[in-house]
């Protein structure tokens, strides 16, 4: 089985920074895209940032210039550096990966369990 495990959430004051990390483990053959989504109370889950294996990135307009997504050298980790955080960034952040694992005939989407980020004074 495949697991995505996030870390790094917490409470931070407006204007502060946090770094989220996610590690994918299991019988993974290939990872195409990794990234982060978030879901605030009463709202739908939304894309925050993604990065493909070649390095191209995609960001939500609301986080451009403040957040940076990156992949580790081993390509099975993804991080999200969040700067200049705002109260509206408060949400549960989910790691996402589009990957192929042993026994699967195609790429499938996997999700982490989520980590809470709260921006408040």
């Amino acid at each position: 089985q495949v697991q995505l495990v996030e870390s790094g959430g917490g409470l931070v004051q407006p204007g502060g920074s946090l770094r989220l990390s996610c590690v994918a483990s299991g019988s993974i053959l290939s990872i195409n895209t990794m990234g982060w989504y978030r879901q605030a109370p009463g709202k739908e889950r939304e894309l925050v940032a993604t990065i493909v294996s070649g390095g191209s990135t995609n960001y939500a307009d609301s986080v451009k210039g403040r957040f940076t997504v990156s992949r580790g050298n081993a390509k099975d980790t993804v991080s999200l550096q969040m700067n200049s955080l705002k109260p509206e960034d408060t949400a549960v952040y989910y790691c996402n990966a589009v990957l192929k694992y042993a026994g699967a005939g195609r790429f499938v989407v996997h999700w982490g369990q989520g980590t809470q980020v709260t921006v408040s004074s």
Side-chain angles (χ1 to χ4, degrees):
Q1 292 291 342
V2 173
Q3 278 193 315
L4 301 180
V5 179
E6 302 111 332
S7 61
L11 173 65
V12 64
Q13 293 186 342
S17 298
L18 278 177
R19 184 176 180 88
L20 305 182
S21 296
C22 173
V23 179
S25 63
S27 302
I28 298 170
L29 301 178
S30 179
I31 300 177
N32 182 0
T33 305
M34 295 190 81
W36 296 91
Y37 288 69
R38 68 186 180 187
Q39 188 167 18
K43 295 187 177 181
E44 294 186 354
R45 190 172 298 188
E46 63 176 5
L47 178 146
V48 177
T50 59
I51 181 168
V52 298
S53 56
S56 295
T57 58
N58 183 41
Y59 293 93
D61 287 342
S62 59
V63 307
K64 283 180 181 177
R66 300 189 298 123
F67 291 11
T68 302
V69 63
S70 59
R71 295 274 291 269
N73 289 335
K75 303 300 182 185
D76 59 355
T77 62
V78 63
S79 297
L80 185 68
Q81 178 66 43
M82 305 185 292
N83 299 327
S84 302
L85 282 160
K86 305 175 181 180
E88 51 264 42
D89 295 316
T90 295
V92 177
Y93 283 69
Y94 296 91
C95 177
N96 168 281
V98 180
L99 56 83
K100 185 183 290 186
Y101 59 90
R106 56 186 176 88
F107 282 88
V108 294
V109 178
H110 278 77
W111 295 92
Q113 80 284 359
T115 185
Q116 178 70 45
V117 171
T118 302
V119 184
S120 175
S121 55

